[in-house]
């Protein structure tokens, strides 16, 4: 994710006076632009058509991947990579990459080292126009330079907690936890599971409170908030250093993009014990396993039990297209791997023009929330194993990810095949 994202929620970022920024700000994209295969097409038009198509299709990423004799262009739509037909080939890709680098303020001569940059363009659909930021990353490969372009479209990013897919009761508890004056509230899951979205939606709600000073430490900053002090992690200012600095500025709520090392974990825990609410992420497969991760980072059980207020684990799945959703019968062996009793009715997307023939339209989250009570906190303090904590949590009514997933299957939000893709039977 980009070093210098300029997407601002609700408003375009002011342009600087530099020539490079002016070039990026002058980039205009239109919803009517489509990828054209005209011979000898100018690199500017190729790139503009590609970026406009990505915004129109609500793609999150565009990948230009060099192969031995061709260029593969793929977009990530609803979390899944799809090939795109484009005029890019092994003869014109160098010119197209140079065009991207110019717009993203990168060194067009350097091809042997990775580079990062960003550009901003205005996207027009009908009478509406808004800024879209593209984060660009290039990487040398054995066949030449490849690029990945992250699409950050604030108009397509609905930052309301009600829209991310949490069940009403779980959302009620999560909001209660996010209103705590101190402690650590974690979101966990693999890359691409929607952790950043959940955190941004949480910040959006907290931002409405005038009585809080809120700061964030991110790698990178993806979307800008008007009333939050946001800092970009760099080599000279890592997570732990930035966190220490914000503590000296008397912040009430601190978002730490990720707890990835022992030093950051220690500073975050100490901040939580001194009256700060810390929001952060870790990478574990489920909520309670985050305890093992923090223990690995040398956080003591006493500190864990005194600061941890909750952990959300999540995944993203594709939602069935409402226009072509129909009843179906999944493979019996697939049904048997998820259901031990009478299964519900199942649905799938047949594919139509509205969903580009995929059968899916948009994504939603699968969630589980571990909010330890006094008994569970005592067991954490005593060093009880994660496996035993999981068993006791289920006895107390803890609903795992799979339970939320199967509820969304039963209500027709998604398909059983999609659940198996994100939570395969081996997960059980």
């Amino acid at each position: 994710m980009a070093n210098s994202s300029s997407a601002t929620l609700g408003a375009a970022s002011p342009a600087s006076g530099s020539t490079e920024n002016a070039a990026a700000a002058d980039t205009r994209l239109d919803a009517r632009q489509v990828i054209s295969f005209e011979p000898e097409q100018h690199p500017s038009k190729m790139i503009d058509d590609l970026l406009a198509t990505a915004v129109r299709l609500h793609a999150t990423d565009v990948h230009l991947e060099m192969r031995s004799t061709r260029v593969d262009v793929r977009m990530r739509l609803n979390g899944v990579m799809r090939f795109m037909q484009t005029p890019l080939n092994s003869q014109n890709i160098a010119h197209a990459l140079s065009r991207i680098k110019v717009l993203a303020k990168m060194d067009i001569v350097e091809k042997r080292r990775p580079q990062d940059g960003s550009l901003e363009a205005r996207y027009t659909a009908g009478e509406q126009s808004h800024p879209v930021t593209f984060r660009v990353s290039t990487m040398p490969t054995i066949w030449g330079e490849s690029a990945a372009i992250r699409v950050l479209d604030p108009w397509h990013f609905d930052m309301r907690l009600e829209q991310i897919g949490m069940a009403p009761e779980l959302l009620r508890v999560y909001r209660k936890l996010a209103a705590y004056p101190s402690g650590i509230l974690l979101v966990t899951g693999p890359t691409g599971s929607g952790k950043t979205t959940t955190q941004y939606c949480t910040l959006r709600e907290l931002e409405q409170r005038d009585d809080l000073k809120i700061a964030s430490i991110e790698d990178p900053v993806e979307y800008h908030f008007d009333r939050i002090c946001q800092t970009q992690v760099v080599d000279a200012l890592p997570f732990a250093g930035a966190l220490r600095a914000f503590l000296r500025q008397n912040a009430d709520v601190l978002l730490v993009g990720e707890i990835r090392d022992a030093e950051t974990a220690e500073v975050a825990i100490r901040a939580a014990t001194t009256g700060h609410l810390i929001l952060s992420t870790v990478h574990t497969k489920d909520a309670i396993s985050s305890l093992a991760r923090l223990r690995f980072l040398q956080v003591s059980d006493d500190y864990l039990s005194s600061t941890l207020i909750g952990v959300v684990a999540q995944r993203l799945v594709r939602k069935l297209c409402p226009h072509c959703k129909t009843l179906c019968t999944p493979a019996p062996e697939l049904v048997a791997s998820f259901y031990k009793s009478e299964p519900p009715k199942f649905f799938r997307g047949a594919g139509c023009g509205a969903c580009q023939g995929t059968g899916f339209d948009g994504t939603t989250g699968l969630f589980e929330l571990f909010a330890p009570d006094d008994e569970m906190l005592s067991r954490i303090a005593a060093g009880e194993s994660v496996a035993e904590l999981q068993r006791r949590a289920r006895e107390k009514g803890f609903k795992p990810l799979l339970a939320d997933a199967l509820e969304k299957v039963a209500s027709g939000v998604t398909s059983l095949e999609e659940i198996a893709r994100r939570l395969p039977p081996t997960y059980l």
Side-chain angles (χ1 to χ4, degrees), residues 64-381:
L64 311 180
E65 301 167 329
M66 297 298 297
R67 306 298 184 217
S68 58
T69 59
R70 68 181 192 278
V71 177
D72 286 344
V73 179
R74 299 195 287 172
M75 292 186 187
R76 192 177 295 278
L77 303 173
N78 297 326
V80 177
M81 297 286 277
R82 290 184 58 194
F83 280 97
M84 307 296 295
Q85 291 291 324
T86 75
L88 290 171
N89 54 52
S90 55
Q91 284 72 48
N92 60 23
I93 183 63
H95 298 293
L97 284 175
S98 292
R99 168 64 176 168
I100 293 175
K101 286 182 172 182
V102 168
L103 293 175
K105 301 174 285 295
M106 299 159 71
D107 185 349
I108 65 172
V109 177
E110 180 58 69
K111 295 180 172 64
R112 294 177 296 178
R113 291 187 302 172
Q115 292 192 72
D116 295 293
S118 69
L119 67 102
E120 185 176 285
R122 292 206 67 84
Y123 179 77
T124 301
E127 297 181 357
Q128 303 257 334
S129 176
H130 67 276
V132 179
T133 296
F134 300 91
R135 273 199 15 255
V136 182
S137 171
T138 60
M139 172 68 74
T141 71
I142 60 173
W143 302 118
E145 205 171 17
S146 292
I149 305 170
R150 181 76 162 170
V151 183
L152 300 172
D153 184 355
W155 279 35
H156 186 56
F157 189 11
D158 192 338
M159 299 185 83
R160 292 175 295 168
L161 279 170
E162 295 89 347
Q163 299 301 311
I164 64 177
M166 278 191 186
E169 177 58 22
L170 188 149
L171 179 57
R172 183 190 68 79
V173 176
Y174 178 76
R175 278 188 162 132
K176 180 180 178 181
L177 298 176
Y180 275 33
S182 64
I184 288 187
L185 181 57
L186 296 174
V187 182
T188 186
T191 300
S193 60
K195 299 187 297 297
T196 300
T197 297
T198 299
Q199 288 196 316
Y200 273 170
C201 290
T202 306
L203 286 183
R204 187 67 167 191
E205 287 202 357
L206 292 174
E207 184 188 26
Q208 309 309 311
R209 293 179 52 181
D210 293 332
D211 61 327
L212 296 177
K213 178 182 173 82
I214 305 172
S216 73
I217 306 157
E218 305 173 54
D219 184 22
V221 175
E222 291 196 1
Y223 293 94
H224 292 178
F225 292 85
D226 289 336
R227 301 171 64 187
I228 295 176
C229 300
Q230 294 175 272
T231 294
Q232 169 75 46
V233 170
V234 293
D235 290 341
L237 188 65
F239 279 117
L243 180 53
R244 287 191 182 94
F246 270 129
L247 290 176
R248 292 193 290 272
Q249 295 202 350
N250 196 26
D252 299 292
V253 180
L254 283 158
L255 169 69
V256 182
E258 182 185 349
I259 296 178
R260 61 175 63 156
D261 55 54
E263 183 183 12
T264 304
E266 178 187 4
V267 178
I269 289 290
R270 292 189 180 279
T273 63
T274 55
H276 303 83
L277 177 64
I278 305 297
L279 309 175
S280 193
T281 69
V282 292
H283 285 87
T284 58
K285 71 173 185 176
D286 57 56
I288 300 178
S289 292
S290 63
L291 297 172
R293 176 62 179 161
L294 292 174
R295 285 168 173 170
F296 176 79
L297 294 177
Q298 303 174 12
V299 177
S300 72
D301 290 321
D302 285 340
Y303 272 130
L304 272 178
S305 63
S306 63
T307 58
L308 185 69
I309 59 177
V311 186
V312 174
Q314 65 182 81
R315 301 289 191 279
L316 282 183
V317 294
R318 293 176 292 174
K319 295 190 296 184
L320 292 173
C321 174
H323 302 286
C324 61
K325 183 169 68 175
T326 183
L327 287 168
C328 71
T329 303
E333 59 271 19
L334 179 61
V335 175
S337 67
F338 284 97
Y339 295 91
K340 307 307 177 188
S341 57
E342 185 67 22
K345 293 180 180 179
F346 297 104
F347 297 85
R348 69 176 179 87
C352 64
C355 62
Q356 310 289 321
T358 65
F360 295 95
D361 182 19
T363 59
T364 191
L366 309 176
F367 298 93
E368 66 180 24
L369 173 60
F370 175 58
D373 59 14
D374 289 342
E375 179 192 345
M376 294 298 285
L377 290 173
S378 296
R379 294 185 179 280
I380 293 171

